[in-house]
Amino acid sequence: LKPCWLNLKTFTCHRAWESVVGRLVSLLMAGFVEVTAHMMSGRAVFGPAAVDRSAAVAELTAAIAKELDQPPLAVQLLLGEHVLPPEDNLSQVEGGATSITVAVNELVGKYEVLMQKFIEKKPGGGSFVLTLKGERALSAKVVALKKEILEKLQLDTVPGDVDAWLTVLLSSIGFSNEFFDFDPDKLEASDGLLYFSQGGASPWNYYFVDVKGDFASRAHLDDDQGAAVGAVWCASFYGDVVVICSRSPCADDWRKMSAGEFDEDLTVDFPLTCATKSLQEFFERWMKTGSAPMICEMMET
């Protein structure tokens, strides 16, 4: 990455350089802006540095994220109260200098690091395929998709852990094998359930997150082990559940399927089960075993 900024501290270590700094800044200000970045606590974490006004905010975010030892996805920059999207630049900054506020979501950082390890490992070997997608930054597209998912969930907000994972999943590249198919552009939601894999070869496999932690009780299930916010559930059927339900299934649809009330073209291959207590556990277990928990583990044995 070619630096989009120049650290002005280099030139202020001695008074003899002050006039040089003045002349340098005068030259730079036509196309550069002097930036200092602070955490919300007020602690300075970057600059003063001359930043190219035309460079993408993503470049500045990456530079600051490196200083903080965080992945860029976990870092947001604010100019006053305005969030700077990574695809924007600093051309809107007035004057020759500005102060930027840095916000860090440590949960997003933690799960982004885990996801990168997962993708680099490609658990499952040759059957594991990556698709060339992924934002790797909290872009306007990701923000819009996140808002759309919340509307489908019929929720204004989601618990912090789930919210962090939603950011990471929507920003991720896609991956699949013969039993699992994840595409960040195809995340679906219904009735408090976040579907992150629907499909694969016949039978059809379904993986979803219980966003509110009340799925087991709403679906009238006896599985108390799955009563957790962010728990991952899975099931497998011969027959396309989405087609039969005319949408991604809600809790009552799962109740009916578990009770055998859906007869048409639907045969249970793997019963509805709580796979893991969280997405973190889900991906860590997949890396350890080489198979997505429960359904894929069973099919590959």
Side-chain angles (χ1 to χ4, degrees):
L1 178 66
K2 184 178 179 181
C4 65
W5 53 276
L6 178 64
N7 192 340
L8 297 182
K9 285 183 178 178
T10 305
F11 301 94
T12 58
C13 59
H14 193 277
R15 290 185 61 85
W17 285 99
E18 288 181 357
S19 59
V20 176
V21 173
R23 290 196 301 271
L24 177 63
V25 171
S26 296
L27 289 172
L28 292 176
M29 285 309 104
F32 285 69
V33 58
E34 183 182 326
V35 173
T36 304
H38 298 82
M39 300 296 290
M40 290 185 172
S41 64
R43 177 171 65 92
V45 293
F46 180 85
V51 178
D52 188 341
R53 290 178 182 270
S54 64
V57 170
E59 294 184 54
L60 179 58
T61 302
I64 293 174
K66 185 176 181 179
E67 294 290 324
L68 297 172
D69 195 26
Q70 288 283 347
L73 185 61
V75 176
Q76 270 194 318
L77 306 184
L78 295 88
L79 187 59
E81 296 182 356
H82 173 65
V83 174
L84 294 172
E87 58 269 34
D88 281 6
N89 55 40
L90 297 180
S91 59
Q92 74 271 36
V93 174
E94 297 179 357
T98 190
S99 178
I100 287 176
T101 303
V102 181
V104 177
N105 188 321
E106 293 185 356
L107 269 181
V108 169
K110 174 183 176 181
Y111 297 146
E112 169 72 349
V113 169
L114 172 59
M115 182 59 74
Q116 287 304 299
K117 289 180 180 178
F118 172 82
I119 289 170
E120 289 169 7
K121 187 169 184 177
K122 297 181 181 179
S127 65
F128 190 92
V129 178
L130 300 178
T131 58
L132 298 178
K133 295 182 180 181
E135 298 290 322
R136 303 272 59 87
L138 196 55
S139 66
K141 176 186 174 183
V142 171
V143 172
L145 286 172
K146 195 171 181 180
K147 182 179 179 181
E148 184 179 319
I149 290 292
L150 288 175
E151 289 174 352
K152 290 181 179 180
L153 288 169
Q154 299 180 341
L155 297 170
D156 294 327
T157 60
V158 294
D161 192 79
V162 176
D163 182 74
W165 268 112
L166 187 54
T167 297
V168 170
L169 291 174
L170 287 171
S171 307
S172 177
I173 63 175
F175 49 88
S176 63
N177 59 24
E178 61 267 43
F179 306 118
F180 194 94
D181 184 17
F182 169 74
D183 184 333
D185 291 338
K186 295 181 180 178
L187 259 67
E188 286 295 335
S190 172
D191 191 30
L193 309 177
L194 175 66
Y195 289 85
F196 63 103
S197 178
Q198 298 185 88
S202 182
W204 290 72
N205 305 317
Y206 299 85
Y207 283 89
F208 61 90
V209 176
D210 179 9
V211 173
K212 298 188 294 183
D214 60 355
F215 169 70
S217 62
R218 290 192 295 124
H220 298 191
L221 302 175
D222 295 329
D223 191 349
D224 293 334
Q225 298 301 313
V229 172
V232 176
W233 290 75
C234 61
S236 179
F237 296 89
Y238 288 99
D240 191 341
V241 173
V242 173
V243 171
I244 293 172
C245 297
S246 300
R247 65 186 184 290
S248 297
C250 65
D252 195 54
D253 291 328
W254 286 112
R255 178 193 64 76
K256 292 176 181 177
M257 285 185 279
S258 298
E261 296 179 18
F262 280 160
D263 297 326
E264 53 178 315
D265 303 321
L266 189 63
T267 303
V268 176
D269 178 65
F270 188 90
L272 180 62
T273 307
C274 180
T276 59
K277 285 282 194 176
S278 66
L279 278 165
Q280 177 180 345
E281 181 186 348
F282 181 85
F283 286 111
E284 287 177 340
R285 185 160 137 192
W286 191 341
M287 283 194 292
K288 183 178 180 179
T289 66
S291 302
M294 300 306 289
I295 296 176
C296 300
E297 289 173 342
M298 296 296 293
M299 289 182 174
E300 294 177 0
T301 56

